Amino acid sequence: MNKYSISEFIKKSEQKEKGEGFFELETPRMLEVNLNGQVWAKAGSMVAYEGHIKFEREGILEQGIGALFKKAISGEGASLMKANGQGKLYLADGGKKVIILHLNNESISVNGNDLLAFTPSIHHEIKLMRKVAGMMSGGLFNIRCSGVGLVAITAHYEALTLRVTPGKPVITDPNATVAWSGNLEPQFQTDISLKTFIGRGSGESIQMRFEGDGFVIVQPYEEVYMQAQS
């Protein structure tokens, strides 16, 4: 058979049953949700589905006054939708790699732009990083996920996890920071000399500082977030 034939392409790329459960990595950059009920997902992340599934955008008041502020300044970085029904749902986000994590009475904070999906058993809370609001136009929100269940996050290229231990803080670029353990509270700092060296008004001049005992996930890419248009 010709290796470039349509039938050969279909054979190599078609969906395959892996039997991995509710969340399944169909490809490194595509999440399959074997839906029988409800799942939360990033708004706009649906690329295809089979079966009977209805989508509902998260109500603006479901997260309280913080969500109203979010809508005003942060664009779509932390917008969620509910998918209800039965079938197969395929989610992706800009070709980023998908990471599936199982929380067992644990918590993780995820940059609002890097959270792809989570099961309804997971408690989620959108948090505004107030101290950095005046410094940068995007990446202002993170979503804290906790409890027991599955969480799918995304990262550009291969993610790197850095351990944070007492007395050895980790400093990161906010635009390259994907997630961190829920017990850590990042502090923001500026480096004027680095800002001058880089020669731009944001990015490395603003840093996230993690202290304590936990971990930080970073990506080899600086994601720049679009600000909402009025």
Side-chain angles (χ1 to χ4, degrees):
M1 182 181 292
N2 190 326
K3 67 177 180 178
Y4 297 122
S5 67
I6 290 177
S7 58
E8 187 66 14
F9 171 76
I10 292 173
K11 179 181 177 182
K12 289 182 178 178
S13 63
E14 69 179 340
Q15 184 266 339
K16 297 175 178 63
E17 293 294 341
K18 299 180 181 179
E20 294 176 356
F22 190 77
F23 279 1
E24 189 173 293
L25 278 182
E26 188 59 34
T27 75
R29 293 173 173 82
M30 183 135 1
L31 178 70
E32 176 186 299
V33 182
N34 293 297
L35 188 61
N36 185 14
Q38 178 181 302
V39 70
W40 285 94
K42 182 177 181 179
S45 63
M46 185 275 289
V47 294
Y49 69 89
E50 302 171 359
H52 300 281
I53 301 175
K54 291 185 177 181
F55 300 91
E56 176 187 350
R57 200 176 191 87
E58 181 183 35
I60 195 168
L61 295 178
E62 288 191 37
Q63 290 291 338
I65 192 67
L68 297 175
F69 188 60
K70 173 198 70 173
K71 293 286 183 182
I73 66 171
S74 73
E76 298 303 308
S79 294
L80 299 170
M81 65 180 181
K82 298 175 191 175
N84 289 282
Q86 191 167 14
K88 290 185 180 295
L89 172 62
Y90 299 94
L91 304 174
D93 184 16
K96 296 194 289 183
K97 283 198 167 183
V98 179
I99 302 164
I100 300 173
L101 301 172
H102 180 265
L103 302 188
N104 185 16
N105 287 315
E106 299 163 298
S107 62
I108 187 171
S109 293
V110 186
N111 185 298
N113 203 49
D114 299 320
L115 182 62
L116 182 62
F118 53 92
T119 54
S121 60
I122 292 291
H123 174 74
H124 73 285
E125 181 182 3
I126 296 177
K127 290 183 171 288
L128 169 66
M129 293 185 270
R130 300 178 189 279
K131 292 184 179 180
V132 77
M135 301 182 197
M136 55 192 296
S137 61
L140 299 177
F141 292 86
N142 66 79
I143 302 178
R144 189 175 191 273
C145 298
S146 58
V148 178
L150 296 169
V151 177
I153 66 176
T154 58
H156 286 276
Y157 310 106
E158 283 71 35
L160 173 68
T161 300
L162 301 172
R163 289 298 308 270
V164 180
T165 56
K168 293 185 177 181
V170 172
I171 293 88
T172 66
D173 180 335
N175 292 329
T177 306
V178 174
W180 55 93
S181 48
N183 61 305
L184 297 181
E185 289 288 343
Q187 300 297 315
F188 289 89
Q189 62 186 36
T190 57
D191 188 325
I192 300 301
S193 62
L194 191 55
K195 177 179 178 180
T196 304
F197 179 73
I198 297 298
R200 60 181 185 176
S202 63
E204 282 88 346
S205 60
I206 305 166
Q207 302 162 348
M208 297 177 78
R209 182 184 181 92
F210 296 88
E211 293 190 77
D213 190 0
F215 62 88
V216 183
I217 303 172
V218 294
Q219 61 186 4
Y221 183 93
E222 293 183 41
E223 198 159 7
V224 178
Y225 313 99
M226 297 301 293
Q227 195 167 8
Q229 300 296 314
S230 58

